[in-house]
Amino acid sequence: MTTVQQLYEAMQRIAPLELAESWDNPGLLVDCAGEVTRVLVTLDITPEVVTEAAAKYCEAIVAHHPVIFDPLKKLGPQDVPFQLVRVGISAICMHTNLDAAEGGVNDCLACTLGLQDTKPLNEEKIGRIGTLSCAKPLEQFLSDVVKLLSCNGLRYRDGGRPVHRVAVGGGACGEYIPQAIAQGCDTFVTSDLRYKDFLDTQGLNLIDAGHFPTEDVVCQEIVRRLRETFPELEVT
């Protein structure tokens, strides 16, 4: 028998809580306890995801974005945590700790884009830097990003350089543009970039591939690792 606590402990081994940023709220955020036989892995826990998990008789959901973030002042039927408790589904959410963890969001993003010899972008280990096997024109790399991340589209700024040394940051990592430049990158793939980022950045190809596409790459890896750890569980 696998319990919610055992599942949570396994996720802590994958994404240790000490890697999380101080402002973050990762962890076992909805604890309905009990036995787990089926797990749903997702980027976000929306009402639709709760409905899907309930229809699949899942006792737990593992997600990237926290289902509880700001301090709760009241709880009602419209709130996802309320919906989870009502149907008896626990929620384990690993956020910035999964961004920083080895094999987490940013390693998966770098691997998906074909980067080699990767290393952390900054001291917090948010983001990665790596190189392509050979330099390629920006236009070709943009096409690769759309295809590999299944983007509906993207925004970009041509920094006037071919793509070879690439920084990646899953989710909103525009604040790390200076680190990418300082470490000699010619390209930065992230999301949620501001108008000012595109306007002011010089000598760096900026690619905003979208928040979901740059982070969803981790979900299948979590599925794989949970199946490996818990072969008795149905993980989807």
Side-chain angles (χ1 to χ4, degrees):
M1 180 183 78
T2 302
T3 65
V4 171
Q5 183 61 33
Q6 289 172 324
L7 182 64
Y8 179 40
E9 290 169 359
M11 285 305 304
Q12 288 183 73
R13 290 191 291 272
I14 292 173
L17 295 179
E18 58 266 26
L19 295 177
E21 296 290 299
S22 60
W23 50 262
D24 202 5
N25 186 41
L28 178 54
L29 302 188
V30 177
D31 185 4
C32 295
E35 181 180 1
V36 176
T37 60
R38 297 177 182 84
V39 181
L40 186 69
V41 177
T42 183
L43 197 69
D44 298 278
I45 305 179
T46 64
E48 293 80 7
V49 169
V50 176
T51 299
E52 179 182 350
K56 292 181 176 179
Y57 302 100
C58 296
E59 299 90 357
I61 298 175
V62 173
H64 181 44
H65 294 133
V67 71
I68 300 173
F69 201 80
D70 293 328
L72 281 175
K73 296 184 178 180
K74 63 178 182 178
L75 199 61
Q78 75 281 0
D79 299 306
V80 168
F82 181 97
Q83 296 167 17
L84 288 166
V85 172
R86 184 170 58 189
V87 294
I89 298 177
S90 299
I92 298 169
C93 303
M94 298 304 198
H95 193 209
T96 54
N97 48 323
L98 187 58
D99 289 325
E102 183 177 343
V105 171
N106 287 292
D107 278 332
C108 289
L109 178 56
C111 180
T112 300
L113 294 180
L115 302 186
Q116 303 171 353
D117 303 319
T118 57
K119 67 175 187 177
L121 173 59
N122 52 43
E123 292 181 357
E124 297 80 16
K125 298 183 180 179
I126 303 296
R128 296 291 185 269
I129 294 173
T131 57
L132 297 175
S133 58
C134 61
K136 60 180 63 177
L138 176 60
E139 292 77 12
Q140 181 181 343
F141 186 68
L142 291 172
S143 178
D144 292 343
V145 170
V146 170
K147 179 179 179 180
L148 294 170
L149 299 185
S150 300
C151 302
N152 290 326
L154 50 75
R155 299 185 300 145
Y156 73 96
R157 183 189 194 283
D158 188 342
R161 302 173 65 184
V163 180
H164 187 223
R165 184 171 173 81
V166 181
V168 298
C173 290
E175 64 189 283
Y176 302 127
I177 290 173
Q179 286 94 324
I181 294 173
Q183 297 203 52
C185 297
D186 49 66
T187 305
F188 189 19
V189 181
T190 185
S191 76
D192 300 351
L193 292 172
R194 304 169 302 168
Y195 171 78
K196 185 176 175 62
D197 296 325
F198 287 109
L199 185 67
D200 293 346
T201 303
Q202 301 293 324
L204 181 72
N205 303 315
L206 280 181
I207 301 175
D208 186 330
H211 204 115
F212 181 88
T214 60
E215 292 187 329
D216 187 56
V217 288
V218 78
C219 288
Q220 193 57 48
E221 175 63 8
I222 296 300
V223 169
R224 184 192 70 79
R225 294 177 71 171
L226 288 179
R227 285 175 176 170
E228 185 178 83
T229 304
F230 302 104
E232 72 279 7
L233 294 184
E234 181 180 320
V235 186
T236 58

